[in-house]
Amino acid sequence: MLQEHAKLLAMMQHTGEIVGRKKLQKLVYIAKQMNQPFREKYQFHMYGPYSEELTLQVEEMCQAQFVSEEREKKSGYYQYRYSLTEQGKTFVDAVLPESTALDSALLAELNEASSKFLELVSTILYFEHLPRDEVRAKVYKVKARQNYSDEDMDEAFDYIDRLRRQ
Amino acid sequence: MARPDGHLEEEKVFKDPVHRYIHVRDELIWELIAAREFQRLRRIRQLGTTYLTFHGAEHSRFTHSLGVYEIMRRMVENLEKKMTWDPDERLVCLAAALLHDIGHGPFSHSFEKVFQTDHEEWTQAIITGDSEVNAVLSRMGEDFAGRVADVIAKTYDNKLIVSLISSQIDADRMDYLLRDAFYTGVSYGQFDMERLLRVMRPEEDQAVFKHSGMHAVEDYILSRYQMYWQVYFHPVTRSAEVILSRILNRARELLEENYEFRQQPVHFVSLFNATMTLEDYVRLDESIIFYYFQEWVKETDPILSDLCTRFMDRHLFKYVECDPSQQMLIWPELQELFRKIGLHPSYYLVIDSSSDLPYDFYRPGEKDERMPIHLQMPDGSLRELSRESDIVEAISGKKRTDHKLYFPADLLEDQTTFAEEKQRILTLLHQQEGS
């Protein structure tokens, strides 16, 4: 079990601070789809693919003081900021084998995107087994409230293609 | 024999210890129950290894699935009095409730961890693939099977239907709490389901509850909370899970090393090399697993033989509480000591966390992914449950995490060999607990 926690900590070494629970969720999902060695199980939820397991692992790492969680009030909701602590760095070095390589550039790039965009990208990836026109129809249906435009969808498809080429 | 409206000539009933009777009047449901993929659920326990802790917990996913169907049938009957919808949606709801667990394999929790499989993907494959279930569903129309699969995957466009089968308070959870409490014999897990169904009201995206029924919802939330910590996360059950997953890991490792099994694991090969077909998967059930474990007791590999003996004879690992931040300081020394006394640490020194198990008691959303439970106030407005209920607010967000370190105490306490090393291990382990 500790191996999976350590991978998440190593990811935070590459990304630096991650702002928002939704971003953290989507970032790990997309990285997993890009063959990064994450094993968290995802299901489809309100904002797209979501892993209860990941939520719990992050809570545990916060309790163990490997990750710092800062809560800040936004209009109508709270936003959370996650970053690796010194204790967390020591833990990664002790537990994670050197062979577990993560793609630093990919993770940093994902962290630069907005959480709304990552929500769209992860939702597209969730339905990727379908033909592209069906993926579009499905995303418009399940994400009706997000009002994604055709341009947003094109941008997300291009983004996925580019990540795959890297 | 069915009538043109799809109803059976005569309603069928199943006796059930939780709901008394389960009523079937749709030919579709009757035929789905008869499908071989659904009958297979009789051979898969609902609670995996929990029967080793609570001996009554021998109930199957078959009985649970029928129970979820029955609750959904009653929900739909109540909701239809308060709304109108396409009659076809009723059958989508009932079929999805009945089939929601169809993709579960034997001891799913351990299997999914070890082999990176996902029972929800198998559920989709059984419903939409080459199966008896799919043949029955397809008689309802070309896209019917896909609609049922979408409800279970939570990607169906009618969110109300999705929420009835999968939300913080749904037919699945209602049945498993009542049923698991009944079969384990614990006194937690009780709540007034009839009242919950009576105060349920349809909204656009989810079912909500009349404010006057808040105490019934509170009761349900508390029951869940207690069942998780008293039954689902029981440390003895987790010890059995730890051993089970180590057996599967060991068997895979031996197969990769071309070890000569006395009993070749033919049913596992496609699982081990990730080429499992739907037919292979449907054939796998707990009787097959137990057969191999019995046979592997006689294997010459000492690890596989020992772990299988422990599982079959219930000689489980003992545990100490552990704190990962402290544990990392002594981890290298502990591993080295285990190697020295001839115990492979990957198999005999295992940390298990409660996060490896389902953990979904209610927490208020903030900007979270969960759809909160809403109460319908007397003026018709909606209020999130924990804002109205002091009891729910008190347990919302109270996260309990639990790490345990499992080890074979019997081997460490037998100090006829490596006495010094074993004593040091025991000292380190108990230091953990005290830290």
Side-chain angles (χ1 to χ4, degrees), chain B residues 381-398:
Chain B
S381 64
L382 298 183
R383 288 273 291 168
E384 192 272 312
L385 175 66
S386 68
R387 316 244 179 251
E388 285 295 306
S389 161
D390 293 339
I391 293 174
V392 174
E393 193 194 13
I395 64 165
S396 295
K398 298 283 184 295

Side-chain angles (χ1 to χ4, degrees), chain A residues 43 53 59 63 80 145, chain B residues 113 120 205 363 366 401:
Chain A
Q43 292 186 322
E53 204 176 345
E59 284 170 6
Q63 285 189 349
Y80 295 82
R145 287 189 180 175
Chain B
K113 281 277 165 204
E120 301 215 346
D205 277 358
R363 279 173 282 167
E366 287 158 359
T401 50

Side-chain angles (χ1 to χ4, degrees), chain B residues 354-372:
Chain B
S354 60
S355 65
D356 285 343
L357 290 161
Y359 180 98
D360 53 3
F361 68 85
Y362 182 74
R363 279 173 282 167
E366 287 158 359
K367 196 149 164 95
D368 213 336
E369 301 260 353
R370 293 151 180 270
M371 179 79 92

Side-chain angles (χ1 to χ4, degrees), chain B residues 10 13 74 89 133 149 154 209 246 257 269 324 392:
Chain B
E10 193 174 59
V13 287
R74 294 185 200 177
E89 297 279 55
V133 159
K154 305 182 195 77
F209 297 86
R246 264 60 205 171
E257 289 169 2
V269 173
V392 174

Side-chain angles (χ1 to χ4, degrees), chain A residues 25-87:
Chain A
Q25 282 281 339
K26 307 313 171 206
L27 200 154
V28 173
Y29 180 77
I30 298 167
K32 189 179 169 190
Q33 300 310 110
M34 296 297 147
N35 298 320
Q36 294 295 289
F38 297 112
R39 300 180 65 156
E40 286 70 20
K41 191 175 160 186
Y42 275 80
Q43 292 186 322
F44 200 81
H45 276 237
M46 278 170 72
Y47 298 108
Y50 170 77
S51 171
E52 180 70 23
E53 204 176 345
L54 174 61
T55 298
L56 291 165
Q57 285 168 341
V58 172
E59 284 170 6
E60 286 165 10
M61 293 189 298
C62 292
Q63 285 189 349
Q65 296 176 354
F66 295 162
V67 170
S68 133
E69 179 187 69
E70 282 178 39
R71 188 167 89 150
E72 55 187 23
K73 193 156 188 165
K74 291 278 176 186
S75 53
Y77 68 96
Y78 289 100
Q79 182 165 268
Y80 295 82
R81 294 173 171 273
Y82 296 96
S83 53
L84 191 63
T85 62
E86 279 305 316
Q87 213 170 331

Side-chain angles (χ1 to χ4, degrees), chain A residues 69-132:
Chain A
E69 179 187 69
E70 282 178 39
R71 188 167 89 150
E72 55 187 23
K73 193 156 188 165
K74 291 278 176 186
S75 53
Y77 68 96
Y78 289 100
Q79 182 165 268
Y80 295 82
R81 294 173 171 273
Y82 296 96
S83 53
L84 191 63
T85 62
E86 279 305 316
Q87 213 170 331
K89 281 179 198 157
T90 315
F91 181 78
V92 179
D93 295 339
V95 170
L96 201 65
E98 281 178 16
S99 57
T100 314
L102 294 176
D103 184 337
S104 184
L106 170 82
L107 296 169
E109 182 170 357
L110 290 174
N111 196 28
E112 278 168 21
S114 73
S115 60
K116 188 182 174 195
F117 184 66
L118 293 184
E119 179 182 343
L120 175 60
V121 170
S122 61
T123 304
I124 289 174
L125 287 168
Y126 193 82
F127 294 113
E128 224 190 3
H129 56 285
L130 301 171
R132 281 211 165 173

